Amino acid sequence: MDQIERYRQIIRKMIEDYSVFRPAKGDVEIETIFDEGNDHYELIYSGWNGPYRIHGSVLHIDIRNGKVWIQYDGTEDGIAEELVEAGIPREHIVLAFKPPSIRPHTEYAVA
């Protein structure tokens, strides 16, 4: 199995694992989006909490040029360390939600 396919499997598994956690309030649907053709992976909540609309990403991860780009991370503890523990090297993980000027000061890839 090549590296990119292994990264895809790790990301899919993590998103599936997070998709079992339901929000404490509201009538919310949990959607997993796996676009392997474009290497976009996302976990989305959509629905209602009383009169308030719920819609948005919980996790959004892309694979670009052989690196895993965390576009959005709405998890409590952060998913980057989980990706490292699953076998993706830090130098292959980009914290895309951080400004480019900050990325060199993280323990992860710049781009």
Side-chain angles (χ1 to χ4, degrees):
M1 171 185 331
D2 78 339
Q3 174 179 301
I4 298 301
E5 183 57 34
R6 190 168 61 83
Y7 290 178
R8 287 178 182 133
Q9 288 183 0
I10 290 168
I11 293 165
R12 277 193 313 262
K13 170 102 171 60
M14 287 196 177
I15 287 177
E16 287 169 353
D17 289 349
Y18 273 96
S19 73
V20 301
F21 298 112
R22 299 205 54 81
K25 295 181 180 180
D27 181 20
V28 178
E29 288 187 33
I30 300 169
E31 300 177 39
T32 56
I33 300 169
F34 302 136
D35 176 3
E36 291 184 12
N38 295 303
D39 278 323
H40 300 296
Y41 306 88
E42 197 163 2
L43 176 65
I44 294 176
Y45 286 176
S46 63
W48 292 90
N49 182 9
Y52 302 103
R53 178 72 175 148
I54 305 290
H55 185 270
S57 248
V58 177
L59 281 171
H60 179 181
I61 301 171
D62 295 331
I63 300 174
R64 296 182 179 175
N65 301 318
K67 293 186 179 174
V68 174
W69 289 64
I70 303 173
Q71 301 290 355
Y72 181 79
D73 184 353
T75 65
E76 189 171 325
D77 295 324
I79 199 161
E81 278 303 309
E82 289 184 53
L83 293 169
V84 171
E85 290 170 13
I88 300 176
R90 289 180 193 283
E91 59 270 12
H92 288 190
I93 299 172
V94 178
L95 303 179
F97 57 88
K98 298 275 189 194
S101 61
I102 299 295
R103 292 181 201 156
H105 307 289
T106 69
E107 300 175 352
Y108 300 94
V110 174

